[in-house]
Amino acid sequence: MAYPRVLELGYSYLSSLGLPDIAQPHLRELSAKLDESCSVSVLDRDSVVYIARAAAHRIMATNITIGTRFPAHATSMGQVLLADLTPAQLDEFLETASLEKVTPHTLTAPADLRARLAEIRRRGWVIVDQELEKGLRSIAVPIRSGSGRTAAAINISTQTSVYSTEDLTTRILPELIATCKAISHDLATTELS
């Protein structure tokens, strides 16, 4: 089945722009400041692909590496990336993607996912609460290219026992947005070079 060209380009196109290199120092700084792991991913068909990551130093840490893939509909970064698709691209995604129920909380009905994506477009960020894994809560915001389009997404994931959704919005979101703006600025500057 044919996928929108933008979805096929994903990883290789953004890698050629140096997005992982641009994002990495910002991710390290954010991770050190909050003592939380943070990641950047791009959309590749119906998955997100991790292209940069800074892991918090803990004994028990999730083993996510560059190239790790997760279903876009069940992740905060995936939902941020899907929210920026054109209506035609979103229609095609919903027609072709396997919207599996990863946990009891995963949104799988196209109408519910469309409503969530509309809210993300309006608000500019999302919290995904236990949709990818029980006990895991994450928050994501878009990284914008110089043209203003979503080039990638950045997130912080944490255990539900560590941060409530209110904590994520009051304590984590401002830092995540600041980091996102810095990466977006550097990406736009690189695009102009």
Side-chain angles (χ1 to χ4, degrees), residues 103-182:
T103 75
H105 303 283
T106 308
L107 288 182
T108 59
D112 293 342
L113 190 55
R114 280 183 194 277
R116 166 81 58 82
L117 299 177
E119 176 65 18
I120 294 167
R121 279 191 294 278
R122 185 190 66 73
R123 188 173 48 196
W125 54 273
V126 68
I127 291 175
V128 167
D129 196 0
Q130 304 182 80
E131 292 182 48
L132 181 64
E133 180 182 313
K134 281 185 161 185
L136 184 69
R137 185 175 283 144
S138 65
I139 186 167
V141 296
I143 295 172
R144 304 276 184 196
S145 67
S147 68
R149 296 295 302 196
T150 298
I154 180 173
N155 89 333
I156 289 180
S157 293
T158 186
Q159 296 300 311
T160 55
S161 60
V162 178
Y163 285 102
S164 68
T165 55
E166 184 179 344
D167 290 337
L168 285 177
T169 56
T170 59
R171 295 171 54 197
I172 301 296
L173 182 60
E175 299 294 339
L176 196 58
I177 289 172
T179 299
C180 178
K181 285 181 179 177

Side-chain angles (χ1 to χ4, degrees), residues 26-73:
H26 296 288
L27 292 178
R28 280 193 298 268
E29 184 179 328
L30 180 63
S31 179
K33 186 173 191 176
L34 297 175
D35 194 28
E36 295 294 339
S37 297
C38 49
S39 306
V40 170
S41 72
V42 295
L43 191 62
D44 183 33
R45 299 184 185 233
D46 61 354
S47 300
V48 292
V49 179
Y50 284 65
I51 62 167
R53 180 162 170 82
H57 299 287
R58 296 200 175 98
I59 295 171
M60 299 293 284
T62 306
N63 189 23
I64 295 174
T65 59
I66 304 307
T68 295
R69 293 176 163 272
F70 289 117
H73 73 285

Side-chain angles (χ1 to χ4, degrees), residues 6-7 43 77-90 117-118 120-122 142-145 147-152:
V6 70
L7 299 182
L43 191 62
M77 289 189 289
Q79 291 181 17
V80 162
L81 292 163
L82 292 172
D84 197 54
L85 294 180
T86 66
Q89 290 169 333
L90 182 57
L117 299 177
I120 294 167
R121 279 191 294 278
R122 185 190 66 73
I143 295 172
R144 304 276 184 196
S145 67
S147 68
R149 296 295 302 196
T150 298

Side-chain angles (χ1 to χ4, degrees), residues 79-102:
Q79 291 181 17
V80 162
L81 292 163
L82 292 172
D84 197 54
L85 294 180
T86 66
Q89 290 169 333
L90 182 57
D91 288 344
E92 187 166 352
F93 172 84
L94 292 171
E95 289 169 12
T96 59
S98 174
L99 301 178
E100 294 179 29
K101 192 167 241 352
V102 183

